[in-house]
Amino acid sequence: MNDKKRLNSYEDLPLVLDVADIQRIMGISRASAYELVHTPSFPAFRRGRLINVSKIAFFEWMAKGSETVLRSDK
């Protein structure tokens, strides 16, 4: 995804995200984005040297994480 492009909606995102997309969506540093994609529970996959994430899997992962946080607060 082009670094200059603003992310205005879910539909604006490509079907397959890269580390830079994850960084921009989450508002985290490049190092944090790479640390995240190497986390065992994160839905990343490799295509050669590139690390990619399905847009659907990424948002499902985020939703599942937020449910866990909400449940632990009770």
Side-chain angles (χ1 to χ4, degrees):
M1 173 173 274
N2 185 345
D3 289 336
K4 303 287 184 194
K5 185 174 181 181
R6 293 199 31 93
L7 305 175
N8 294 322
S9 71
Y10 179 82
E11 290 78 24
D12 289 343
L13 296 170
L15 290 176
V16 178
L17 307 173
D18 61 20
V19 176
D21 296 327
I22 301 301
Q23 176 185 351
R24 238 180 338 281
I25 292 165
M26 298 193 73
I28 58 178
S29 70
R30 183 173 186 245
S32 293
Y34 274 99
E35 186 177 327
L36 178 63
V37 299
H38 287 98
T39 302
S41 64
F42 192 78
F45 62 93
R46 283 192 171 278
R47 280 191 320 174
R49 295 182 61 207
L50 300 175
I51 299 171
N52 295 127
V53 183
S54 157
K55 173 173 74 170
I56 294 168
F58 173 70
F59 282 96
E60 286 174 353
W61 173 84
M62 282 188 29
K64 185 169 46 169
S66 66
E67 290 170 8
T68 303
V69 170
L70 291 175
R71 274 192 239 125
S72 67
D73 290 342
K74 292 181 180 179

